[in-house]
Amino acid sequence: MKMNRYTQNGCTLSDHWSYNGMQVVWLENELIKVGVLIGRGADIFEFRYKPMDVNFLLRLPGEIKNPQTIFAQRRDTGNQMEDFYYGGWQDCIPNSAPFVYKGASYGQHGEAWGIPWKYSIMENSTQIVSVKCWVRPMRTPLLVEKTITLKIGDPAIYMHSKVTNEGASSFDFIWGQHIAFGLPFLQEGGKIHTNATTIASEPSMPEKRRFKPGIETKWPEAQTPDGQLDDASIIPPADQGSFSELSFLSGFQKKGFYHLTTPSEDFGIGLEWDAELFKYVWYWQERYGMEGAPWWGKVFSVALEPWTARFTSDPLQGIANGEWELLEGGASLETEIKAFSIDKTLKK
C-alpha cells in the first residue's frame, strides 16, 4: 500500500453534506476521515486512514439506498436489513433474528439501523470534534444515543453510547456493533489478534462452511468440516476459498480487544470495548459463498462484531434463558468503544 501526502492540521467537522437525501456528517483530523450517515442509522459508513488512503470498512458496489425512498415490492419480509445492506458499521438493537416481542414485530437486526437519527454538534475546534446522535425507534421504548469524537493527531474514533428505557415496564434486548471490513483492505488476506479464548461456529448457516458447525474450541484453533484443525485467526487472501461462516468469539477479559491487520501485521484496524457488556464477537465471513439471495455470489466481507449475546433463531428462548439484556422502566446503560488505525510503518 502506498503512502499519500496529507497537509491538514488539526480537526474539522462538516455537516453540509447529504447522500441520496440522507444527512451526512464528516469528522476528520490529520490521520483519519470518518463519515457518519445520520440520515440512516447514524452508521459509520467510512473510516478512512488518510496516509494510505484506505477505507477499512466494507463498501459493497453500488449506491447506499435510502430506505425512505427506495424499497422492494414487498416490505413485510423479515430481512429488510439485507435488502439495504452496503457494509459499514451499524448499531443493531433491539434484536437480530426477526420476532414478535410484547406485541411489537421486529425485522432483522431491529429498527435503529434503517431510520434517520437526530444530531447535534458538541465540539468543533482544531483540537477536538464531536457529534452526538440519537434516535427513538418507533416500536421500542428505547432512546439510543451515541457521541462520536476525534482528537487532534489521534488516529482513533471514541464512541460513547447510552441506551435508556423510557417506558414504564421492563424491556429485553440484544445489542450489536455490526462492523464489517472488505476490499481492498483484505485483498491479500489478514490476521486477527484478540484476547478471546474460545470460538464456536453457528449451526444455522449455508452448507459451504469453513468451520464445523456446533463445535467450540480454544481460540484460535477451529475444526474444519472434515475434522482437520484450522487457524481461525488467519484470513485467507480474497481469491482463496469460497464459503459462508458465522462463529462466536468469547471468553474475553473485562476489556475486549481485537486487531485486524494485513498478513504482514504492520497495518490495520483495532477495536477496544467493554466485554462485560459486549460478551461476544460475531465473526462473520461471507466469501462469495452464498450464491442465492441476498449476495448472489458477489460479496466478500469479514466482520468482527461485538454483541451482548450470541445469535439465536429463537429470541424468545434466548430471553427465557436470561441471555438478553434487561432494562427496567427508566433505567439506562452506558458504554465506551474505541476504534483506531494501526500503522507500524509510520515513522515517529
Side-chain angles (χ1 to χ4, degrees):
M1 296 181 180
K2 65 179 182 179
M3 297 290 289
N4 290 298
R5 298 182 64 186
Y6 55 99
T7 57
Q8 177 170 331
N9 293 312
C11 302
T12 62
L13 184 152
S14 176
D15 64 343
H16 302 300
W17 301 89
S18 66
Y19 183 99
N20 275 351
M22 299 175 286
Q23 174 73 50
V24 171
V25 173
W26 288 101
L27 302 92
E28 191 169 356
N29 64 18
E30 304 93 328
L31 295 169
I32 60 174
K33 182 177 182 180
V34 176
V36 184
L37 192 59
I38 303 292
R40 195 191 128 171
D43 295 2
I44 297 177
F45 71 98
E46 183 168 313
F47 181 3
R48 184 169 298 276
Y49 182 60
K50 293 165 66 174
M52 293 187 179
D53 194 26
V54 171
N55 177 23
F56 294 116
L57 299 178
L58 173 65
R59 177 66 185 275
L60 299 180
E63 64 180 2
I64 302 176
K65 298 181 180 67
N66 185 342
Q68 312 306 311
T69 60
I70 300 173
F71 47 87
Q73 182 185 30
R74 288 188 59 188
R75 302 194 73 177
D76 59 342
T77 61
N79 61 341
Q80 291 287 299
M81 168 73 163
E82 293 173 344
D83 290 341
F84 290 96
Y85 189 62
Y86 67 89
W89 174 350
Q90 291 80 29
D91 268 276
C92 295
I93 192 170
N95 62 293
S96 177
F99 82 127
V100 176
Y101 172 75
K102 292 189 176 181
S105 180
Y106 298 104
Q108 184 186 34
H109 286 344
E111 292 183 87
W113 65 265
I115 57 178
W117 291 38
K118 299 182 183 299
Y119 77 99
S120 179
I121 297 171
M122 308 302 290
E123 299 269 0
N124 190 5
S125 70
T126 57
Q127 298 297 309
I128 186 170
V129 288
S130 184
V131 60
K132 180 178 180 178
C133 318
W134 67 93
V135 71
R136 290 179 170 90
M138 181 179 295
R139 295 183 180 179
T140 79
L142 301 180
L143 168 62
V144 185
E145 305 170 89
K146 61 183 177 185
T147 301
I148 300 167
T149 301
L150 270 62
K151 303 174 184 179
I152 188 171
D154 187 347
I157 299 170
Y158 297 87
M159 182 185 296
H160 177 85
S161 297
K162 182 178 180 180
V163 177
T164 302
N165 180 2
E166 296 184 320
S169 59
S170 62
F171 191 84
D172 297 277
F173 66 97
I174 58 170
W175 186 10
Q177 302 296 320
H178 196 287
I179 312 171
F181 310 98
L183 307 177
F185 170 41
L186 297 175
Q187 184 67 49
E188 303 303 320
K191 174 74 174 179
I192 301 168
H193 291 276
T194 179
N195 62 339
T197 57
T198 62
I199 178 173
S201 191
E202 167 61 34
S204 60
M205 288 291 286
E207 286 299 319
K208 200 178 287 188
R209 303 292 297 265
R210 179 181 178 186
F211 306 135
K212 188 173 182 178
I215 302 295
E216 182 172 281
T217 53
K218 184 178 179 180
W219 172 267
E221 288 188 347
Q223 278 193 35
T224 64
D226 61 3
Q228 302 299 309
L229 291 180
D230 191 2
D231 186 344
S233 71
I234 301 296
I235 299 168
D239 61 356
Q240 294 183 16
S242 173
F243 54 82
S244 299
E245 186 60 71
L246 176 62
S247 304
F248 307 105
L249 309 188
S250 60
F252 299 94
Q253 299 169 7
K254 184 175 181 180
K255 177 177 283 189
F257 80 85
Y258 65 71
H259 297 168
L260 174 60
T261 67
T262 54
S264 63
E265 303 184 37
D266 58 5
F267 174 68
I269 183 171
L271 198 80
E272 297 175 357
W273 70 93
D274 176 6
E276 292 183 325
L277 176 62
F278 296 105
K279 305 174 188 68
Y280 296 88
V281 165
W282 295 14
Y283 179 15
W284 173 49
Q285 303 172 80
E286 175 53 46
R287 298 172 56 100
Y288 313 119
M290 189 174 289
E291 297 179 359
W295 313 130
W296 304 107
K298 296 179 66 175
V299 170
F300 177 95
S301 173
V302 175
L304 293 167
E305 315 167 18
W307 281 80
T308 57
R310 288 173 53 150
F311 172 83
T312 174
S313 57
D314 186 352
L316 293 177
Q317 187 61 55
I319 292 170
N321 293 343
E323 298 165 5
W324 286 35
E325 301 300 308
L326 175 67
L327 270 184
E328 299 294 342
S332 299
L333 62 83
E334 301 183 53
T335 193
E336 305 275 351
I337 297 175
K338 178 183 177 182
F340 51 93
S341 64
I342 299 165
D343 187 359
K344 298 178 182 178
T345 71
L346 193 63
K347 295 180 179 179
K348 301 296 183 181

